[in-house]
Amino acid sequence: MRQQAGRRLDRGRRAGHPATVPDIATALAAAFGLITEGDRAVLSIVTLSLQVSFLAVALAALVGLPLGAFLAVARFPGRRPLIIAGNALMGLPPVVVGLLVYLLLSRSGPLGGWGLLFSPGAMVVAQVVLITPILATLSREVLEGLWEEYGEQLRSFGATPRLAVPTLLWDGRFSLLTVLLAGFGRASAEVGAVMIVGGNIEGHTRVMTTAIALETSKGDLPLALALGMVLMTIVLAVNAAAQLLRDLAQRRQG
Amino acid sequence: MIALSRRALPLLLALPARAQSSSITIASTTSTEQSGLFSHILPSFRDATGIAARVIAPGTGQALDVGRRGDADVVLVHDRPAEEAFVAAGFGGPRRHVMFNDFVLVGPATDPAAIAGLSDASEALRRIATKRAGFVSRGDRSGTHAAELRLWRLAGLDPTMGRGNWYREVGQGMGPALNTAAAQDAYILSDRGTWIAFRNRQALRILVEGEERLFNQYGVMLVNPARHPHIRAAEGQVFIDWLLSDAGQQAIAGYRIGGEQLFFPNARQPEPVS
Amino acid sequence: MRMPETALPLVARGLGFSAGGTALLREIDLVLEAGPPTLIIGPNGAGKSLLLRLLHGLLQPGAGWVRWQGRAAPRAAMVFQRPVLLRRSVRANAAFPLPLAGIPAADRGLRVAEALALVGLTDLADRPARRLSGGEQQRLALARAAALRPEVLFLDEPCASLDPAATAAAEYIIQTISRQGCKIIMSTHDLGQARRLAGEVIFLHQGRVCEHAAAPQFFQAPSTPQAAAFLNGELLW
Ligand SMILES: Nc1ncnc2c1ncn2[C@@H]1O[C@H](COP(=O)(O)OP(=O)(O)O)[C@@H](O)[C@H]1O
Ligand SMILES: [Mg+2]
């Protein structure tokens, strides 16, 4: 089964095409084929990509959104530096995050006992580190606007900043969905960090982006581009679904 | 954060889709992985032993680093001096020779340095340097990079003189380096396996090959379990034994692309001295 | 009706507030007792909203103090000029502050139902609050405050952006709440509204309390020229 899948991914090469400059039409056709034929190898790569990115977004949201909401409502010494740090961390180069997580999770590193390196779990950890600052910063900006509207009324009800956090998160849910999508986009498009900590192991840690990098390395640019188009299609579908959901719910809520 | 991680950990550990009874991690070179060799032989290995093998392929230098840190169970690379240093320092071993192929000097069909058909790789490099013709170097501490630097030394040349000009160190794997050479009509040293599997050749051709200094030997080592207790030593040894057995050697010999054999098993012969 | 424990009177002494070096409220001394509504009137920018926020504790005074001098813990609520409604149903909005005020879960349903009935929104209980009309939104804000059964209700120009019909409805609700024993402290720039609702009047001018008098006395015989000018429609700010 795996062999068959492997052959599918290798098919251009086996067919002995002469090397060509990547042809976008070829790539389009190949992408269409990969999607419609439900290629097994591609399917498992897509599944893993979605699993890793969704789990990473979920875990990052658990920390990032409450943190963002808290920063939006609370005033305490050290808040400005924290906000500046968050802004800076948004631009963290994925490779640096990858190296950091690699050194942490390595058997010789402090968290080596977890045995997570070169596993999907390690990729989730790297992506969580990468997108938590993004979720925290973007949600803070979104919720600061909401707090401006709600602040006095909530304080009148006797809500402390800590008690206001869940209210803001719930009432800002439609805008926060966009924040989550931004995190998902960053996670699913990211290659540097997951390559380092996942190892791009076939059938185990190979995701869309590392597969694309690999096919590019092999010089199979049309196949790489085709995989890229599949990735874009998926990201587009996820965004469209989320947006649709948001619009439906928002139309009801007003 | 730590508390959260603790709660999240079981989730992360549960993530691997396939539940495997036993598996090992092999750190290897881009040439063995990207040429498709592992995809070809590992299913036979799993069928024979029930052990799944996972391959990470960062290149020889980094693969040895991964072994040093205890993040892989087996290392399969191609840089004999570096491998012997790895064993001597107690990071793993013993080193066993597995298979070979060869390097090829690749360049544009127009061949501005006129090296096509030369039987002397040193002479070819000398001509490239004299012409200051574009040359792409891996520059990534890989086995191929080490071999290329040895060839320059044998030719009595220091290519880093041409750095920033005609000598271009890309610091990437074989495939990206070949992509660069193809785009720039530059010369490059490649292992034959990656070259055969490479699809974006454009004007690149093999210009020099079949020279004894272009010999490329692969060796395999078990990472030292005394240093890293979690190393799957038993399974790793099973893999090495299988690789050196008739079954493993035949699997290697059986890997072909377009009828062309990429790797030549030689575990049963004495290792050639280079 | 038994006499409940009360947090009133609400007392302010030497109250002042300034921003950016400008004194916006100065030397305000007030004693607010239980009883009919207190209306804070005055031209635009007189400091009515600031005073209400200081009294409610949403702002910290720059000078002086505000204190509840009764024996019970104060239960106060506030409704703002523009209702702040949460992105939830009408019912969920009315129920929202109850847990924060420590109202037991078992009592909340009844309180919400009574409050919505009071403002005539029972039929709209399941509608998204932000889809309501302006008048309905302000009635919901009143219901939400009423569900808390506060001892004091601060209202900051609650009818300023409502049409006459909606204003009449809101005034009726406010009078009902007042008759149920809740002390109303409300600002308005609408003299007619003040005449209709006020038990006593605080006339605020340029950050100072110019007059604090029973409503009939204030409207028939204001004791300061500023108040007289304001009543004649001559004092616009
Ligand atoms: N936070 C603030 N900073 C500076 N000036 C303010 C602030 N809040 C109110 N003011 C000013 O204080 C004055 C009184 O405002 P306000 O209480 O809103 O008046 P009113 O409600 O009587 O119309 C106005 O001149 C207003 O511009
Ligand atoms: Mg005002």
Side-chain angles (χ1 to χ4, degrees):
Chain A
M1 203 165 78
R2 160 140 2 145
Q3 235 172 338
Q4 187 192 348
R7 216 177 302 131
R8 188 67 180 76
L9 265 185
D10 286 351
R11 103 210 118 112
R13 182 187 313 130
R14 304 267 161 121
H17 290 311
T20 55
V21 178
D23 176 357
I24 296 192
T26 318
L28 255 173
F32 190 72
L34 288 175
I35 296 172
T36 51
E37 289 162 34
D39 182 279
R40 260 185 192 290
V42 173
L43 214 69
S44 82
I45 289 173
V46 167
T47 311
L48 183 65
S49 295
L50 289 176
Q51 281 179 329
V52 166
S53 296
F54 275 132
L55 187 54
V57 169
L59 291 178
L62 239 47
V63 179
L65 296 190
L67 184 63
F70 187 74
L71 286 173
V73 302
R75 297 290 177 272
F76 54 93
R79 176 177 174 268
R80 292 291 321 158
L82 219 63
I83 287 174
I84 292 169
N87 282 336
L89 287 177
M90 281 214 297
L92 261 186
V95 181
V96 175
V97 172
L99 275 174
L100 220 90
V101 174
Y102 179 98
L103 293 176
L104 281 176
L105 295 182
S106 167
R107 288 291 186 179
S108 307
L111 305 179
W114 292 3
L116 268 186
L117 195 64
F118 303 138
S119 75
M123 307 200 292
V124 172
V125 171
Q127 292 195 345
V128 167
V129 173
L130 210 59
I131 62 180
T132 301
I134 297 179
L135 297 189
T137 300
L138 294 184
S139 60
R140 175 185 60 77
E141 291 201 350
V142 165
L143 297 179
E144 260 176 3
L146 196 58
W147 180 243
E148 203 141 297
E149 186 194 339
Y150 281 11
E152 276 200 322
Q153 182 69 75
L154 292 191
R155 285 198 295 128
S156 162
F157 291 148
T160 58
R162 215 172 51 76
L163 286 172
V165 163
T167 304
L168 284 188
L169 289 177
W170 178 248
D171 277 57
R173 58 196 179 277
F174 299 123
S175 321
L176 291 179
L177 188 64
T178 311
V179 171
L180 290 182
L181 284 176
F184 176 78
R186 166 96 161 167
S188 58
E190 191 285 317
V191 59
V194 294
M195 182 73 97
I196 294 174
V197 304
N200 191 23
I201 299 169
E202 188 192 349
H204 184 55
T205 58
R206 185 161 300 165
V207 290
M208 292 302 295
T209 52
T210 59
I212 292 167
L214 179 65
E215 293 307 328
T216 308
S217 294
K218 289 172 167 177
D220 199 339
L221 306 193
L223 182 54
L225 195 54
L227 288 169
M229 288 172 176
V230 174
L231 175 61
M232 279 161 58
T233 309
I234 292 164
V235 171
L236 204 71
V238 169
N239 272 277
Q243 210 60 44
L244 205 77
L245 225 79
R246 175 191 163 143
D247 289 351
L248 277 178
Q250 204 166 17
R251 195 158 315 140
R252 286 197 19 188
Q253 274 306 307
Chain B
M1 182 70 205
I2 291 290
L4 182 80
S5 308
R6 276 199 197 297
R7 245 171 292 157
L9 192 57
L11 199 60
L12 298 181
L13 288 170
L15 198 62
R18 281 164 261 276
Q20 252 129 22
S21 50
S22 67
S23 69
I24 55 167
T25 301
I26 304 168
S28 189
T29 71
T30 53
S31 52
T32 46
E33 165 75 346
Q34 292 186 13
S35 65
L37 175 70
F38 276 119
S39 311
H40 176 74
I41 66 170
L42 288 183
S44 314
F45 170 63
R46 197 188 43 201
D47 292 346
T49 63
I51 299 171
R54 296 167 176 166
V55 180
I56 53 163
T60 294
Q62 289 179 50
L64 288 169
D65 285 345
V66 167
R68 265 183 213 108
R69 303 186 60 91
D71 292 324
D73 307 303
V74 172
V75 180
L76 195 162
V77 292
H78 65 137
D79 182 2
R80 189 166 174 182
E83 292 161 40
E84 282 167 349
F86 181 84
V87 173
F91 290 111
R95 172 183 176 276
R96 304 292 305 271
H97 62 289
V98 179
M99 62 189 185
F100 67 92
N101 64 2
D102 63 341
F103 296 111
V104 290
L105 248 176
V106 166
T110 51
D111 191 18
I115 65 166
L118 285 180
S119 59
D120 181 345
S122 298
E123 175 57 21
L125 289 185
R126 247 176 258 125
R127 289 192 190 180
I128 291 169
T130 311
K131 270 276 176 195
R132 307 171 69 77
F135 186 96
V136 170
S137 168
R138 290 279 295 278
D140 65 346
R141 293 198 308 131
S142 62
T144 305
H145 185 216
E148 179 216 311
L149 293 179
R150 267 198 301 280
L151 283 175
W152 286 110
R153 250 194 324 278
L154 286 172
L157 289 169
D158 178 10
T160 55
M161 306 282 289
R163 197 177 266 163
N165 184 4
W166 59 273
Y167 186 72
R168 297 151 197 169
E169 294 155 295
V170 293
Q172 298 193 62
M174 196 70 250
L178 279 169
N179 278 331
T180 307
Q184 300 185 341
D185 277 342
Y187 293 94
I188 183 170
L189 183 75
S190 173
D191 70 281
R192 190 183 292 272
T194 307
W195 170 254
I196 291 173
F198 188 66
R199 297 258 293 111
N200 182 32
R201 293 178 187 176
Q202 301 185 38
L204 295 184
R205 307 277 180 276
I206 292 181
L207 298 173
V208 177
E209 63 183 326
E211 216 257 77
E212 68 171 11
R213 271 169 291 192
L214 294 177
F215 180 75
N216 180 22
Q217 177 68 49
Y218 289 82
V220 69
M221 289 146 289
L222 182 71
V223 174
N224 187 355
R227 269 178 187 264
H228 300 289
H230 57 270
I231 291 293
R232 306 208 163 168
E235 291 93 335
Q237 195 57 51
V238 169
F239 174 71
I240 292 175
D241 292 344
W242 178 85
L243 203 60
L244 303 176
S245 74
D246 284 340
Q249 296 277 292
Q250 275 162 21
I252 293 170
Y255 182 54
R256 281 155 207 272
I257 293 179
E260 205 171 341
Q261 184 172 343
L262 272 73
F263 296 92
F264 298 86
N266 67 344
R268 293 308 169 83
Q269 294 115 46
E271 183 172 6
V273 280
S274 48
Chain C
M1 231 168 66
R2 78 200 160 86
M3 203 56 196
E5 286 260 294
T6 174
L8 290 166
L10 177 60
V11 178
R13 281 281 173 257
L15 201 57
F17 186 86
S18 45
T22 323
L24 301 170
L25 287 177
R26 268 174 292 197
E27 296 153 33
I28 294 189
D29 296 306
L30 287 174
V31 178
L32 297 167
E33 306 271 6
T38 300
L39 267 283
I40 302 175
I41 63 174
N44 236 324
K48 302 183 292 292
S49 298
L50 279 178
L51 179 57
L52 283 172
R53 281 167 172 77
L54 284 168
L55 293 175
H56 187 29
L58 289 178
L59 285 176
Q60 291 309 308
W65 47 259
V66 175
R67 228 170 269 162
W68 300 86
Q69 293 204 329
R71 276 190 293 163
R75 287 176 293 116
M78 182 156 175
V79 171
F80 297 85
Q81 180 172 337
R82 275 213 312 264
V84 183
L85 296 185
L86 306 174
R87 288 157 175 79
R88 311 161 188 228
S89 69
V90 167
R91 189 195 317 276
N93 264 278
F96 179 83
L98 298 182
L100 291 170
I103 310 299
D107 300 351
R108 293 176 202 160
L110 181 65
R111 284 195 179 216
V112 168
E114 281 181 8
L116 290 180
L118 169 73
V119 302
L121 286 177
T122 305
D123 292 344
L124 303 183
D126 293 316
R127 289 263 287 274
R130 295 194 157 237
R131 284 282 143 112
L132 299 180
S133 74
E136 289 166 341
Q137 292 203 7
Q138 196 57 290
R139 270 148 61 199
L140 174 54
L142 287 168
R144 187 170 56 184
L148 285 166
R149 298 193 188 150
E151 194 183 346
V152 173
L153 177 56
F154 297 100
L155 300 163
D156 188 10
E157 304 209 33
C159 305
S161 35
L162 302 186
D163 65 26
T167 299
E171 283 179 10
Y172 176 76
I173 294 166
I174 292 165
Q175 281 168 328
T176 309
I177 294 174
S178 174
R179 270 198 302 276
Q180 288 169 352
C182 174
K183 171 71 183 179
I184 302 287
I185 302 176
M186 168 173 165
S187 73
T188 183
H189 65 264
D190 176 351
L191 275 176
Q193 183 168 58
R195 282 183 212 275
R196 290 191 292 275
L197 297 179
E200 63 168 2
V201 172
I202 294 172
F203 175 61
L204 210 58
H205 181 50
Q206 292 181 344
R208 291 175 192 274
V209 174
C210 254
E211 266 194 73
H212 183 180
Q217 183 191 333
F218 176 81
F219 288 117
Q220 281 151 32
S223 61
T224 59
Q226 292 94 336
F230 183 70
L231 288 175
N232 287 331
E234 290 158 16
L235 187 59
L236 298 179
W237 54 77

